[in-house]
Amino acid sequence: MTMELNLHGTPHAVATLADLQLALKQARSLAQCELWLTRAIDPEQGPALCLLRNGANAWLMYLSGQDELSFHTLGDEEADGACSYLLSNGQVDEYPEAWCVDVEQGQQACIAFFKTGGARPAVVVWEAD
């Protein structure tokens, strides 16, 4: 199954796990980025996973697409403060530090999403929006 990966505004077709790993390696080279992985070209037609990265922090959002359910990651619920993320359009979003996970966990979630064809990854903890 081919998925669409959009790395900070640049689309890539991802047909194999090797394709995905190459794109994730490229994402690791960026200090900040916005990454979308979708099963369908239009995220509203199928599941989508968004990973925002700032340094060692990642924040993920899972969109189911069909039933409009969305989830975000939960990290250390005791963490204070916020983390800002630069989006591909130049906008800066800020989320609670308690919602951040390690970048490696975030990338493992991307791999799990790809391997399962778009199921919500179990490698991170999720909270419904």
Side-chain angles (χ1 to χ4, degrees):
M1 165 187 290
T2 299
M3 289 193 178
E4 172 94 4
L5 183 140
N6 188 303
L7 178 57
H8 218 65
T10 304
H12 305 271
V14 177
T16 66
L17 185 56
D19 292 340
L20 177 59
Q21 289 171 326
L22 184 62
L24 293 175
K25 182 178 180 182
Q26 184 181 4
R28 279 193 297 272
S29 72
L30 303 171
Q32 292 194 54
C33 68
E34 174 183 3
L35 183 151
W36 283 90
L37 188 58
T38 58
R39 192 175 72 188
I41 299 300
D42 181 354
E44 293 185 23
Q45 293 178 358
L49 185 69
C50 175
L51 180 147
L52 301 180
R53 176 188 182 184
N54 185 348
N57 287 328
W59 175 84
L60 286 85
M61 174 177 52
Y62 175 82
L63 304 171
S64 64
Q66 296 174 351
D67 54 14
E68 298 183 22
L69 287 178
S70 65
F71 300 84
H72 65 265
T73 47
L74 280 179
D76 178 4
E77 294 184 66
E78 308 264 326
D80 251 351
C83 186
S84 62
Y85 296 96
L86 176 65
L87 305 184
S88 60
N89 65 2
Q91 178 180 318
V92 176
D93 282 359
E94 199 171 83
Y95 297 101
E97 189 81 29
W99 293 2
C100 298
V101 297
D102 180 81
V103 170
E104 184 60 32
Q105 279 183 293
Q107 292 202 339
Q108 289 302 314
C110 290
I111 291 169
F113 180 86
F114 180 80
K115 285 182 174 179
T116 61
R120 185 164 32 108
V123 297
V124 293
V125 177
W126 297 97
E127 178 176 70
D129 290 325

